[in-house]
């Protein structure tokens, strides 16, 4: 029995929600708009919203001056590599905890979560030192491993809550019907686990992409991803809002698009199991 | 009905994750503890021997310590308060029937995808700049004196930036939780004449308790470690030096590793106090 809603009320809801939505989105919109302005228009008083001379010049300048593609590539490798590596390690672990739970499963899960609470800054120097000693400072491989480790507890935790949702009875039923272990995994478990794994992958890609403690502290030039690329804009030199905006837009665009496309899965990923 | 065989298989499957995390936790932690009892200045003489608890005493008695603890707590609690309260309200609103719900949801979620260095820079320059920032234009439009956000209201500015980033996360989780609420229960309450406020207080809010717990837990983990937002905006000046930032300065800027490591141990203890408290709630939820 759906509730009847008057058109009037729906209209009020719509107007109100759109206003708030646009307000929250506004900083991003403003950044994107500013990236197409000239530097003079970017700081004009009063501000101009749409009626300015649209230009792509800022993008060209930013790319030329700072080699955007290299930072982008580093971001892709670091975020993608750490996520895939994390999944390879976490899937079996979460799987066994969900389907063969023991008395200690809960303790292990809790302990894993507690390692995530270890403040990064508390181990900054040891990691820094180890990186120097092992020749990992400013390398992609070193940073990939660190990003994988800091997100591993979240990956395991998320996967566990997903796998937990898969009813054990289905497996038993399949077994009764004579399915082999291989068939069981291939035809029954995998299809049910894929959405959970995909959501986990996505969320961790985003978290790793946006990670800005280790990426700022353990990179210099070669392995620096987009977070560091943007931080290099933090010392202003004259008129630079439009270029800052262009650089920012380029840094967030890939993940913004990815996030929007997979919005539904993201909602499931962030909440499944943890919020019912 | 796990057999002995599947149990040992399970243990093997779990081993890589457990061993890696154990190493990731124990190796650096042991090193931090080790350095914290040494006078260790890499650029000024290196390892100058054991000094017992000197670093611990010096770190706490330095005039920067307590303000940094306070700053940390203000930022964490401020952001949590804003995101949870606004998150609940926003989730309630987004749950209402409307046109273009999907688009509004996309608009609301977007800040979550913006990397911290970008949001900090954009807010700092394009919004909070006292001359060219949009907020300054807005203030001038209403005839008010523009605020120098980052120097005169630094904590509020940083809380605002961080809350903007985390509001989508809270809203998203709470919205999903609200949508899973049995609407017949609400209708029954409505028919029995329960006013909106008590419907919210007795049905919706208790239903959301678990989701709110999750939001608080996950956010606290990330908020205690806020770094880029301060690194890019104030660099720890104007009273925005959190414990995290203070230790970062001791270790990497002044290269006093012993002192910074002692600070690191304090940060770990502080985080653990919060963690124990939060994990108990999550542990209960895991059983349910």
């Amino acid at each position: 029995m759906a509730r009847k809603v008057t058109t009037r009320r729906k209209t009020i809801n719509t107007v109100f929600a759109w206003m708030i939505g646009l307000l929250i989105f506004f900083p991003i919109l403003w950044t994107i708009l500013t990236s197409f302005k000239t530097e003079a228009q970017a700081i004009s008083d009063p501000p101009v919203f749409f009626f300015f001379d649209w230009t792509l010049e800022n993008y060209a300048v930013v790319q030329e001056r700072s080699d955007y593609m290299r930072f982008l590539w580093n971001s892709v490798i670091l975020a993608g590599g750490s996520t895939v590596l994390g999944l390879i390690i976490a899937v079996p672990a979460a799987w066994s905890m969900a389907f063969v739970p023991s008395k200690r499963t809960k303790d292990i899960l809790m302990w894993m979560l507690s390692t995530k609470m270890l403040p990064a800054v508390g181990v900054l120097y040891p990691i820094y030192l180890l990186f120097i000693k092992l020749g990992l400072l400013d390398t992609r491989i070193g940073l990939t491993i660190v990003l994988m480790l800091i997100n591993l507890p979240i990956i395991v935790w998320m996967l566990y809550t997903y796998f937990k949702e898969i009813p054990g009875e289905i497996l038993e039923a399949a077994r009764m019907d004579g399915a082999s272990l291989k068939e069981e995994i291939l035809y029954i478990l995998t299809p049910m686990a894929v959405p959970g794994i995909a959501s986990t992958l996505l969320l961790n890609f985003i978290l790793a992409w946006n990670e800005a403690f280790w990426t700022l502290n353990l990179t210099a030039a070669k392995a620096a991803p987009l977070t560091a690329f943007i931080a290099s804009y933090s010392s202003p030199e004259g008129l630079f809002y439009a270029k800052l905006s262009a650089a920012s837009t380029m840094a967030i665009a890939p993940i913004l698009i990815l996030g929007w496309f997979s919005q539904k899965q993201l909602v499931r990923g962030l909440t499944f199991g943890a919020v019912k | 009905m796990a057999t002995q065989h599947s149990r040992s298989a399970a243990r093997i499957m779990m081993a890589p994750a457990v061993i890696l995390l154990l190493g990731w936790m124990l190796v650096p932690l042991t090193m931090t503890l080790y350095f914290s009892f040494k006078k260790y200045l890499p650029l000024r003489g290196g390892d100058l021997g054991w000094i017992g608890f000197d670093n611990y005493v010096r770190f706490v008695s330095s005039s920067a310590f307590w303000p940094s603890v306070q700053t940390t707590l203000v930022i964490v609690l401020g952001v949590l308060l804003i995101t949870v309260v606004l998150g609940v309200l926003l989730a309630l609103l987004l749950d209402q029937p409307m046109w273009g719900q999907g688009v509004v949801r996309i608009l609301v979620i977007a800040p979550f995808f913006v990397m911290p260095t970008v949001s900090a820079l954009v807010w700092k320059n394009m919004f909070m700049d006292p001359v060219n920032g949009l907020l300054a234009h807005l203030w001038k439009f209403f005839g008010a004196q523009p605020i120098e956000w980052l120097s005169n209201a630094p904590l509020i500015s940083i809380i605002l930036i961080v809350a903007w980033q985390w509001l989508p996360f809270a809203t998203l989780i709470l919205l999903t939780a609200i949508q899973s609420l049995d609407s017949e229960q609400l209708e029954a309450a409505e028919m029995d004449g329960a006013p909106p406020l008590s419907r919210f207080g007795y049905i919706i809010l208790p239903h959301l308790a678990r989701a709110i717990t999750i939001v608080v837990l996950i956010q606290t983990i990330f908020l205690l470690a806020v770094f880029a937002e301060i690194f890019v905006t104030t660099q720890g000046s104007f009273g925005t030096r959190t414990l995290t930032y203070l230790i970062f300065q001791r270790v990497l800027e002044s290269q006093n590793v012993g002192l910074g490591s002692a600070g690191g141990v304090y940060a770990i203890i502080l985080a653990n106090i919060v963690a124990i408290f939060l994990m108990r709630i999550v542990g209960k939820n895991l059983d349910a």
Side-chain angles (χ1 to χ4, degrees):
Chain A
M1 194 180 73
R3 281 206 295 187
K4 285 229 176 66
V5 181
T6 58
T7 312
R8 205 174 82 96
R9 188 155 154 228
K10 200 171 169 180
T11 311
I12 295 172
N13 286 340
T14 306
V15 171
F16 204 49
W18 272 87
M19 268 166 50
I20 291 179
L22 284 171
L23 187 70
I24 290 175
F25 186 72
F26 183 74
I28 298 172
L29 179 70
W30 186 245
T31 306
I32 297 171
L33 285 177
T34 306
S35 74
F36 294 108
K37 296 175 187 170
T38 63
E39 291 293 359
Q41 282 166 334
I43 56 164
S44 72
D45 184 14
V48 279
F49 279 80
F50 294 101
F51 304 107
F52 52 84
D53 309 317
W54 292 69
T55 171
L56 281 171
E57 195 200 322
N58 300 305
Y59 286 91
V61 173
V62 168
Q63 161 61 18
E64 193 183 314
R65 203 194 279 169
S66 56
D67 206 2
Y68 167 79
M69 289 311 284
R70 187 166 50 91
F71 292 98
L72 174 74
W73 186 233
N74 281 338
S75 275
V76 170
I77 291 193
L78 294 181
S82 65
T83 303
V84 170
L85 205 60
L87 280 175
I88 291 172
I89 295 162
V91 167
W95 193 272
S96 65
M97 283 193 273
F99 292 112
V100 197
S102 72
K103 269 177 282 176
R104 268 168 300 164
T105 300
K106 201 185 128 184
D107 295 334
I108 294 174
L109 269 174
M110 282 295 148
W111 165 73
M112 285 187 169
L113 202 56
S114 76
T115 66
K116 179 70 202 170
M117 301 207 186
L118 194 70
V121 75
V123 295
L124 172 60
Y125 192 74
I127 299 298
Y128 186 71
L129 193 68
L130 285 174
F131 263 55
I132 293 175
K133 290 259 152 80
L134 299 172
L136 290 173
L137 204 62
D138 201 18
T139 62
R140 288 175 191 155
I141 178 80
L143 215 53
T144 304
I145 293 170
V146 165
L147 291 182
M148 184 274 284
L149 285 168
I150 61 167
N151 283 331
L152 191 58
I154 292 188
I155 303 184
V156 172
W157 205 52
M158 256 177 92
L159 287 174
Y160 171 80
T161 60
Y162 265 111
F163 291 164
K164 203 76 187 142
E165 298 277 317
I166 299 174
E169 293 83 21
I170 285 190
L171 299 185
E172 272 170 44
R175 228 169 285 158
M176 297 253 206
D177 290 343
S180 68
L181 184 67
K182 196 181 134 206
E183 286 169 329
E184 196 181 301
I185 291 176
L186 209 61
Y187 299 115
I188 309 209
L189 287 179
T190 310
M192 282 194 282
V194 163
I197 294 176
S199 312
T200 310
L201 185 141
L202 188 80
L203 182 68
N204 276 278
F205 189 84
I206 293 170
L207 288 178
W209 183 278
N210 289 342
E211 203 285 331
F213 181 79
W214 295 112
T215 50
L216 287 175
N217 282 315
L218 295 177
T219 62
K222 288 198 303 274
L226 288 168
T227 45
F229 164 69
I230 290 300
S232 71
Y233 274 76
S234 64
S235 44
E237 302 151 12
L239 296 174
F240 78 121
Y241 280 18
K243 279 168 202 76
L244 167 71
S245 298
S248 296
T249 305
M250 285 200 281
I252 62 173
I255 217 73
L256 220 48
I257 293 166
L258 203 64
W260 285 351
F261 270 120
S262 38
Q263 206 215 137
K264 281 239 165 65
Q265 273 197 330
L266 187 80
V267 177
R268 286 168 51 103
L270 288 169
T271 57
F272 224 58
V275 176
K276 281 180 189 132
Chain B
M1 278 182 305
T3 60
Q4 196 58 44
H5 177 71
S6 66
R7 281 217 182 289
S8 52
R11 227 168 270 150
I12 293 168
M13 283 160 82
M14 232 179 320
V18 172
I19 291 167
L20 277 172
L21 278 177
L22 207 60
W24 169 246
M25 187 179 81
L26 287 181
V27 174
L29 205 58
T30 315
M31 288 170 75
T32 296
L33 273 172
Y34 173 83
F35 288 130
S36 72
F37 292 108
K38 294 211 139 191
K39 188 174 172 70
Y40 187 55
L41 308 159
L43 299 180
R44 285 161 288 163
D47 189 346
L48 301 172
W50 299 96
I51 52 166
F53 283 92
D54 265 22
N55 286 324
Y56 288 89
V57 176
R58 273 185 60 200
F59 192 86
V60 184
S61 53
S62 104
S63 60
F65 176 70
W66 285 109
S68 76
V69 172
Q70 199 187 335
T71 305
T72 309
L73 291 177
V74 168
I75 291 180
V76 171
L77 293 177
V79 174
L80 280 179
L81 190 72
I82 294 175
T83 51
V84 170
V85 171
L86 290 185
V88 170
L89 294 177
L90 211 51
L92 284 173
L93 175 65
L94 289 179
D95 187 43
Q96 303 296 315
M98 68 180 72
W99 289 286
Q101 197 172 28
V103 183
V104 175
R105 204 160 68 166
I106 283 175
L107 295 178
V108 171
I109 294 170
F112 184 64
F113 300 123
V114 177
M115 59 176 64
T117 44
V118 167
S119 52
L121 262 193
V122 165
W123 277 97
K124 175 193 178 186
N125 291 303
M126 292 164 60
F127 287 87
M128 293 173 171
D129 188 279
V131 180
N132 293 320
L134 214 51
L135 292 176
H137 290 309
L138 194 68
W139 257 244
K140 270 185 278 181
F141 180 78
F142 288 108
Q145 181 70 20
I147 300 174
E148 295 199 22
W149 287 90
L150 283 163
S151 47
N152 288 343
L155 276 181
I156 292 172
S157 307
I158 287 178
I159 290 173
L160 190 66
I161 297 172
V162 178
W164 179 74
Q165 291 176 288
W166 284 97
L167 180 59
F169 177 82
T171 307
L172 205 59
I173 289 189
L174 294 169
L175 177 61
T176 312
I178 287 180
Q179 283 171 341
S180 74
L181 183 63
D182 190 0
S183 65
E184 278 176 24
Q185 205 184 347
L186 273 180
E187 275 162 40
E190 201 175 348
M191 281 195 223
D192 288 346
L197 254 183
S198 42
R199 290 206 299 273
F200 175 75
Y202 291 105
I203 301 176
I204 298 176
L205 208 55
H207 177 79
L208 285 183
R210 193 182 146 93
I212 291 175
T213 309
I214 303 291
V215 169
V216 169
L217 166 74
I218 298 177
Q219 283 197 166
T220 305
I221 297 175
F222 285 97
L223 295 179
L224 278 174
V226 159
F227 175 78
E229 292 82 350
I230 298 168
F231 181 78
V232 173
T233 54
T234 59
Q235 302 252 314
S237 52
F238 310 121
T240 58
R241 187 155 51 191
T242 59
L243 195 55
T244 298
Y245 209 82
L246 178 66
I247 298 164
F248 159 78
Q249 286 182 327
R250 291 281 186 269
V251 171
L252 285 193
E253 283 181 7
S254 42
Q255 292 270 330
N256 190 336
V257 174
L259 193 61
S261 297
V265 175
Y266 283 123
I268 291 165
I269 293 170
L270 175 74
N272 271 297
I273 294 172
V274 183
I276 290 169
F277 182 68
L278 289 164
M279 304 257 281
R280 225 181 256 165
I281 307 171
V282 175
K284 245 184 239 158
N285 280 339
L286 264 188
D287 291 332

